[in-house]
Structures are given as C-alpha cells and as structure tokens.
Amino acid sequence: MEGSSVQRSEEQQPCKQSVLSIENQERLENKQKPAQDQESDSGEEWDSDLEIEDTTNKKLSLFRAELYHQACQRTGTIPVSSFHRHKGEVHLNLNHYGVGRLGAKALAIVLQNDKNITNLELEDSALQTRGAHYLMEMLQMNITIHSLNLSNNRLHLEGAHIISKMLSDNYYIRSIKLSGNNFDDSAAKYFASALKGDYVVKELDLSHNKICDRGGEHLGYMLATNVGIEVLNLSWNHIRMCGAMALSAGLKVNSTLKQLQLSWNGFGHIETESLGQALKHNSTLVSLDLSSNRIDDQAVTLLCQGLAINEALMILKLSHNPITNTGALTLLRTVTNNTKSALEEIDISTVFVCETFMELLEEACQRSPALHVQYSVMRSVIRNLSALHIFQKFLKEQNESILDFFQALDKERTMKVSTLAFRNAIKVRLTNFHNALTTSSYISTHH
C-alpha cells in the first residue's frame, strides 16, 4: 500500500521536459526568426543562446556579470544589484531580493556551468514552483554548489516533489534549507523517500512548515536508514504522538545525526519518554533542542531515563516549557549522578529555581567546570543564599558547625526549629559578636 501511494502521487505531478532540452530545440527552430517575434517575458522559454559550452572557469569568472545581464534581458527580468557585490566570491547571497521565477531562470543560465560559487542563498525570493524547477535543472549540471537555501519561497507540494527528484540523484548538495514553504506530510514523504539511505546531504532544514504526525513517521523511517545527515531542523511544525515516536525510533538506531531541533512542536509525556529511550542507545547526538513544547516535571523525569546513561549529548535546551524547580532539580541530579555525562550546556532559562538547586549546581560545577546552566532566580533566593554564606563564614570563625547551632536550638530533639527561634538566635549571636568586637577594640585603644 505504501509503494502504490507513492506511485499515485508521482503520477499526479505534471510531466515536465528538461528545460535545457526544450531550449535547445527552440534555439534551432527560432534561429532565423526576428528577435521581436520571440517572447521574452512568458517565463516558459530558456534561450539556449546563453548557454556556455567548453568555457574555462577563468572566463566564466571574468564575464559572469555580463552573462547575468544578458540572461536577464533575454528572460525579461530586472537584474539584482547584489549579484555584482559577490563577484569572485564563493558565497552568493540574494536573500530577500525578490528574484522571482524569471530571475531564477536567469540565474540558472549563468550558474549551470559555474565552477566558483559553492553556497547559493535565495531565501524569501518569490521563486515559486517554476523558479525551483529552473534551479533544479541547473543543479543537474552544476557540480560546485554544495549549500542551497530556498526557505520561504511558497514552494508547496509540487516544489517538494521537484526538489526531492533532484535529491534522489544528488552527489553534491550537502546542505539544503527549506524552511517556511508550506510543506505538509505528503511533502515530508517525498523528502524521506529521496534521503532514505542517502550519504551526501549533511544538513536538512524543514522548520516552519506544516509537518504533522504522518510526516514525522516518514522522517523517522528516513533517520533509521540514512547514513549521512548530521543536522536536522524540524522546529515550528506540528509533530507529536506517532510522528514523534517514529522520530525517536529512528534516532535510536541512527549513527550520524549530531544536531536535532524539535522546538515548537507537541512533545509531552509520551513523546519525551520515547526520546528518553532513544538517548539510552544513541551515541552520536550532541545537541538536542526541545524548547517551547509541553514538557513538564513528569516529562523531564521520563527524559532523564536516557540522560542517566547517555555519554554523548553536550547541549540540551528546555526553555519555555512548563518545568518548575522540581523538574530542574531532577534534571541536575540526573546529570550529576551520571559520571560519564558529556553535558556542558543546559538551557532552562525560563525556570525559577530555589536555593537547593543553586547549591547543587555549585557542587556540580566544582566537579565539572565546563558545565554551564542557564536558569532564572528571584532576588529573594539570591539574598537568602548571600545571607547563608555570611552565616556559614561567621560560624566558621566561631569554630562552630551549622549542625551544632541547630542542635543548640532544638533542645527537645524534635528536628524542627521555628523561623522565629532561628531569627532570634541569629540576632543574639550577632549582638554578642558585635559587643565582643567593640570591647576588644576598646581595650586595644587604651593600652
């Protein structure tokens, strides 16, 4: 049933000939036609007169700007001025310039044989499906571009299908960012199918899309078989329940993933428990972002089942979750008790902790100086801790322990001391200490 579903989806896609083959044919047919008879703004023609064949890399570098202007004229689009500012650079950043589908066509003509640019940034460029199609055709010939950013270009399902076909035959693209393109579960299925067993793509960004449970399942299956991906960004989607459990199952056996971003999804008790079980077995993941989910104190406890024995994770982000001081203490105790834990950064910056947590953290940092924890604390807690340190110093000077002090107050051995009795005892001690200092100073002065 799964295979037939894929086949039906592909059959529903419009059949497209190679842009280059179409253009070659049109060039032969229109070679003798006057220029005014040929359409320049339809967006459906790719004038192959602009194709550069058997041209050296040096020549392409020298004439790239001129070629770009010619391509823009032939496609009827306005050149992007930023194109010239990147002359000779390997990083071409045209983000937010409104390149458009015809602009993408012009770029594709110029870049198809380029041997210099390795990183192409086209976020928020109004490419739409047609623009993506031109770029994917270009990538069939370009072997230099390794990083591609097509985020926020309204690509939808058809765009996902076009890109996934490129990824299926890809040997060069190592990083692809596709955030904010309205990709749903069907789109996730295309990508999962293309990257199943893939070893080339190292970074995949599908954040800010509409991927839900089924999409999470497809991507989870992909993780279980993929042997190359190192960074996966699925933040700002709607993944939970079976989708989240499938991702955890994939993570459990995956041996390459290093960074997993799952913030702003729907992870709660069930999802976090499956993730905790995955962390028991995974030995490569070093960064996990679970910010802004539904993780409470109980979910933290479930996650700690994996953290108790995990030896690889170095960064854990849990801010903007309904975690209290109780969950923070559970987390810190788990990390402290795991002598092989590699955690160096814990973000619980939105959790208000108490004195006990800060004392435990101080002890933990003495044993693991690299550990850094972000948390929130009320002024009263800081004030109390400051007073406690002063009190401990005072008792040390008096050759008295805290235990001796409280036992002197607890004459009936009830193991309880009222706040009023504690405060009065402190006042008496400090008054006596002050009087002793005053007397000593007086004697010293008069002798």
Side-chain angles (χ1 to χ4, degrees):
M1 294 297 292
E2 195 78 4
S4 61
S5 177
V6 174
Q7 184 177 1
R8 285 196 298 271
S9 298
E10 293 181 351
E11 289 174 351
Q12 291 171 359
Q13 300 301 322
C15 179
K16 296 186 178 69
Q17 286 182 270
S18 167
V19 173
L20 295 180
S21 62
I22 292 174
E23 294 291 335
N24 283 330
Q25 183 178 354
E26 290 181 349
R27 177 166 63 93
L28 294 174
E29 294 176 352
N30 299 326
K31 190 173 183 180
Q32 304 300 326
K33 291 183 180 180
Q36 60 268 25
D37 292 337
Q38 300 181 26
E39 295 180 1
S40 61
D41 59 350
S42 65
E44 302 303 326
E45 295 183 11
W46 189 333
D47 195 335
S48 57
D49 287 341
L50 293 177
E51 294 177 10
I52 307 300
E53 298 177 359
D54 299 324
T55 308
T56 64
N57 184 43
K58 181 178 179 181
K59 188 174 182 180
L60 280 170
S61 179
L62 291 174
F63 293 99
R64 185 183 294 124
E66 181 182 351
L67 292 173
Y68 177 59
H69 272 284
Q70 292 179 5
C72 288
Q73 290 176 354
R74 295 295 180 92
T75 57
T77 188
I78 299 174
V80 177
S81 59
S82 182
F83 182 91
H84 305 295
R85 289 197 286 270
H86 296 278
K87 183 178 179 181
E89 297 180 8
V90 298
H91 185 100
L92 180 57
N93 188 338
L94 300 180
N95 292 340
H96 315 296
Y97 278 95
V99 172
R101 60 189 182 91
L102 293 180
K105 184 178 181 179
L107 278 175
I109 295 173
V110 176
L111 297 179
Q112 59 187 333
N113 292 317
D114 185 90
K115 293 180 176 62
N116 186 46
I117 294 172
T118 61
N119 188 349
L120 180 59
E121 295 274 341
L122 288 169
E123 179 176 352
D124 185 28
S125 295
L127 299 179
Q128 302 183 54
T129 304
R130 175 58 66 178
H133 177 66
Y134 292 137
L135 292 171
M136 296 309 107
E137 287 283 331
M138 176 269 293
L139 290 173
Q140 290 181 3
M141 292 181 289
N142 184 292
I143 62 173
T144 309
I145 295 176
H146 296 156
S147 177
L148 181 65
N149 185 358
L150 299 180
S151 299
N152 300 304
N153 275 295
R154 296 173 289 176
L155 301 182
H156 303 283
L157 181 59
E158 187 178 357
H161 179 64
I162 293 170
I163 295 171
S164 65
K165 289 176 66 177
M166 180 276 292
L167 291 176
S168 296
D169 301 321
N170 167 57
Y171 289 96
Y172 307 105
I173 299 297
R174 298 170 188 166
S175 171
I176 183 163
K177 298 180 180 179
L178 301 168
S179 175
N181 277 301
N182 290 307
F183 292 148
D184 56 12
D185 289 348
S186 298
K189 186 175 183 179
Y190 281 137
F191 295 125
S193 178
L195 295 175
K196 182 179 180 180
D198 179 77
Y199 62 91
V200 179
V201 175
K202 304 299 180 184
E203 178 180 7
L204 174 63
D205 183 355
L206 290 173
S207 62
H208 291 265
N209 280 295
K210 298 178 179 180
I211 301 173
C212 300
D213 296 352
R214 291 293 294 170
E217 287 185 356
H218 297 312
L219 293 171
Y221 300 149
M222 179 273 291
L223 271 184
T225 57
N226 182 279
V227 290
I229 195 165
E230 296 179 357
V231 180
L232 179 59
N233 189 347
L234 295 174
S235 59
W236 287 89
N237 278 285
H238 311 285
I239 302 173
R240 61 187 190 93
M241 299 299 287
C242 57
M245 295 174 70
L247 280 174
S248 297
L251 178 64
K252 187 176 181 179
V253 298
N254 182 277
S255 60
T256 59
L257 192 64
K258 295 180 180 179
Q259 298 179 33
L260 179 59
Q261 295 167 264
L262 294 169
S263 62
W264 292 96
N265 277 282
F267 279 66
H269 293 177
I270 297 175
E271 298 84 359
T272 310
E273 182 178 17
S274 63
L275 200 52
Q277 295 302 312
L279 290 176
K280 287 183 178 181
H281 302 273
N282 184 278
S283 60
T284 57
L285 191 70
V286 297
S287 178
L288 176 61
D289 188 353
L290 290 169
S291 306
S292 303
N293 277 278
R294 297 181 289 114
I295 300 173
D296 57 14
D297 293 343
Q298 183 180 348
V300 168
T301 302
L302 297 171
L303 182 65
C304 283
Q305 294 177 1
L307 296 177
I309 61 176
N310 184 277
E311 301 177 15
L313 195 66
M314 301 177 66
I315 301 172
L316 177 61
K317 298 182 179 181
L318 289 168
S319 65
H320 296 92
N321 278 292
I323 302 172
T324 69
N325 178 71
T326 301
L329 276 171
T330 301
L331 177 62
L332 186 57
R333 283 173 180 148
T334 300
V335 174
T336 303
N337 293 334
N338 181 2
T339 57
K340 295 184 178 181
S341 174
L343 273 170
E344 295 182 354
E345 180 182 337
I346 301 176
D347 184 359
I348 49 172
S349 55
T350 53
V351 180
F352 284 90
V353 301
C354 67
E355 294 96 327
T356 305
F357 177 89
M358 296 184 67
E359 291 171 1
L360 180 60
L361 178 60
E362 184 176 354
E363 295 177 7
C365 289
Q366 289 177 356
R367 291 194 296 268
S368 304
L371 180 62
H372 175 66
V373 182
Q374 300 179 56
Y375 56 87
S376 294
V377 60
M378 294 183 179
R379 291 183 179 179
S380 59
V381 174
I382 299 176
R383 186 169 61 250
N384 292 342
L385 284 172
S386 178
L388 179 61
H389 287 305
I390 294 173
F391 181 56
Q392 289 174 329
K393 183 179 180 180
F394 168 72
L395 290 178
K396 186 176 181 180
E397 293 176 352
Q398 299 297 306
N399 293 320
E400 186 178 3
S401 68
I402 292 180
L403 180 61
D404 294 335
F405 176 81
F406 279 104
Q407 284 180 343
L409 295 179
D410 185 22
K411 296 178 181 179
E412 298 180 1
R413 299 295 185 266
T414 61
M415 303 301 292
K416 295 181 181 180
V417 176
S418 67
T419 303
L420 180 60
F422 175 75
R423 288 178 177 173
N424 289 336
I426 292 292
K427 288 180 180 179
V428 171
R429 288 297 184 94
L430 291 178
T431 300
N432 293 337
F433 181 65
H434 176 72
N435 291 337
L437 288 177
T438 302
T439 303
S440 176
S441 175
Y442 177 81
I443 295 174
S444 299
T445 302
H446 288 77
H447 286 276

